[in-house]
């Protein structure tokens, strides 16, 4: 009897030991996987050769990094602070970049223009708020074909102004706002032809990849009309670096009626399946929440069944022992 009792007690202890680790392991696996996935990867070695050049201080805490290599003439305008001196680092925040496709911009009250951009010896001209201009020659390079048209100025109202450009890369618009020396507000091009709705105004390039792109804007609410102006034509002998797409008609923006508004998409529940990888889980992977719950339930049920069976065996042994005692 004592042997049977010891066996039952051992079985109960074993079932209890199985119950706790089984559930703990099921929860620990996703946690360990999450820690593995969040471990930062080693950063690649930096290479600044693409941005190195001849730095010159142009005032207002700005440096122009002048380059004229395979990419053509470039003037990278970087913010370095008023205490900058030759020899100090200039690999800091970029304010704007001038090149053959965008030779004109403004920053911190300075008017910046890359002149003679198509020649072998371009020059950066910086004009201060008082009208004084300073020239900074770029290193000599190879002459290129000037297929750029612009800037073509366009008043938009509400203190906004646009400059339109056209080059072999497509149409481009620079938006400026009044004050702060004509600070740049945004830039539109073929890949980003429209301002987001959060901008508070409408400004977009319609048909940006066509032969006849159009700039549209609306800076005031109410019944104010949408302004439109066509971009200049490509210069003779110049071709774009992309294939023209079919033009779409230019239409006024309309508010969709309730009947034409698409119904919200409901999340799909039927027919969806979760695939749980078989075998050891790869490092960095996370089990789906349902799979983890199923794992816990299965382990708990298995250990619970063993515990119930153990208690049943223990009760049976006690009853049997009492019967023998009664007979004796």
């Amino acid at each position: 009897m004592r042997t049977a009792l010891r066996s039952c007690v051992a079985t109960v202890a074993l079932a209890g030991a199985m119950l706790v680790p089984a559930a703990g392991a099921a929860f620990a696996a996703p946690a360990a996987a999450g820690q593995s996935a969040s471990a930062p990867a080693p950063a690649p070695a930096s290479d600044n050769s693409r941005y190195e050049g001849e730095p010159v201080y142009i005032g207002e805490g700005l440096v122009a990094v002048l380059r004229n290599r395979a990419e053509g003439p470039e003037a990278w305008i970087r913010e370095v602070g008023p205490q900058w001196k030759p020899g100090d680092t200039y690999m800091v925040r970029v304010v704007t970049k001038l090149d053959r496709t965008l030779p004109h911009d403004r920053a911190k009250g300075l008017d910046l223009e890359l002149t003679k951009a198509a020649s072998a010896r371009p020059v950066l001209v910086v004009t201060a708020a008082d009208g004084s201009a300073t020239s900074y020659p770029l290193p000599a390079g190879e002459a290129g074909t000037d297929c750029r048209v612009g800037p073509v100025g366009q008043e938009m109202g509400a203190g906004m102004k646009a400059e339109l450009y056209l080059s072999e890369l497509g149409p481009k618009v620079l938006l400026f706002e009044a004050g702060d020396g004509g600070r740049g507000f945004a830039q539109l091009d073929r890949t980003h032809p429209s301002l987001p709705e959060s901008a508070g105004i409408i400004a977009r390039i319609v048909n940006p990849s066509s032969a006849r792109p159009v700039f549209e804007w609306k800076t005031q609410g109410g019944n104010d009309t949408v302004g439109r102006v066509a971009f200049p034509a490509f210069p003779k002998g110049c071709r774009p670096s992309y294939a023209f797409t079919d033009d779409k008609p230019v239409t006024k923006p309309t508010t969709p009626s309730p009947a034409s508004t698409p119904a919200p998409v409901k999340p799909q529940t039927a027919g969806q399946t979760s695939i749980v990888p078989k075998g050891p889980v790869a490092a960095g992977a996370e089990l789906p929440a349902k799979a983890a719950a199923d794992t816990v339930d299965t382990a708990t049920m298995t250990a619970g069944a063993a515990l119930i069976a153990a208690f049943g065996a223990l009760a049976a042994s006690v009853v049997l022992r009492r019967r023998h005692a009664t007979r004796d």
Side-chain angles (χ1 to χ4, degrees):
M1 293 300 132
R2 292 180 178 177
T3 302
L5 185 59
R6 289 194 186 100
S7 299
C8 291
V9 172
T11 304
V12 172
L14 179 60
M18 290 173 59
L19 183 62
V20 175
F27 284 108
Q35 291 173 359
S36 239
S38 61
S46 60
D47 180 12
N48 291 326
S49 59
R50 169 64 181 86
Y51 311 102
E52 293 175 347
E54 178 186 343
V56 292
Y57 187 75
I58 60 175
E60 302 298 332
L62 301 177
V63 157
V65 182
L66 308 178
R67 294 171 44 91
N68 197 358
R69 302 180 186 177
E71 300 82 12
E74 296 176 336
W76 292 76
I77 311 302
R78 297 177 177 269
E79 188 171 18
V80 295
Q83 305 301 323
W84 187 90
K85 58 184 181 300
D88 292 348
T89 182
Y90 55 84
M91 291 296 181
V92 289
R93 188 177 77 87
V94 176
V95 177
T96 186
K97 183 192 78 167
L98 305 181
D99 54 20
R100 284 173 176 161
T101 63
L102 184 63
H104 180 239
D105 204 346
R106 298 186 183 97
K108 291 195 171 183
L110 300 178
D111 187 271
L112 312 170
E113 185 174 7
L114 186 62
T115 62
K116 304 178 183 178
S119 70
R121 296 181 177 276
V123 177
L124 173 65
V125 178
V126 179
T127 304
D130 60 2
S132 59
T134 307
S135 298
Y136 302 92
L138 272 67
E142 295 184 2
T145 303
D146 190 0
C147 290
R148 176 187 59 85
V149 180
V152 176
Q154 177 63 55
E155 296 292 338
M156 301 170 58
M160 297 292 299
K161 180 181 178 181
E163 288 184 353
L164 278 61
Y165 296 87
L166 189 70
S167 71
E168 65 273 15
L169 300 180
K172 183 175 292 188
V173 178
L174 290 184
L175 302 176
F176 300 95
E177 57 183 345
D180 196 21
R183 181 171 62 90
F185 177 74
Q187 174 179 306
L188 308 178
D189 53 30
R190 276 200 320 122
T191 57
H192 300 89
S194 178
L195 288 180
E197 294 183 2
S198 59
I201 64 172
I202 295 176
R204 59 195 172 207
I205 303 175
V206 181
N207 301 325
S209 296
S210 71
R212 293 178 294 276
V214 174
F215 175 58
E216 286 187 348
W217 72 92
K218 183 179 179 182
T219 56
Q220 300 179 15
N223 297 323
D224 190 38
T225 58
V226 175
R228 296 185 183 89
V229 62
F231 281 81
F234 277 95
K236 191 174 182 179
C238 289
R239 297 184 180 276
S241 60
Y242 54 94
F244 285 146
T245 59
D246 294 336
D247 291 339
K248 297 180 180 179
V250 179
T251 57
K252 294 184 178 180
T254 57
T255 302
S257 61
S260 63
T261 304
V265 179
K266 296 182 179 180
Q268 183 180 3
T269 56
Q272 292 181 343
T273 58
S274 297
I275 301 175
V276 181
K278 297 181 180 180
V281 180
E286 293 187 9
L287 286 174
K290 184 177 182 303
D294 291 344
T295 304
V296 175
D297 291 344
T298 302
T300 304
M301 292 175 64
T302 302
L307 187 60
I308 292 172
F311 276 115
L314 179 60
S317 66
V318 171
V319 172
L320 187 59
R321 184 179 181 185
R322 287 180 179 177
R323 286 181 182 177
H324 280 287
T326 303
R327 291 176 183 177
D328 293 342

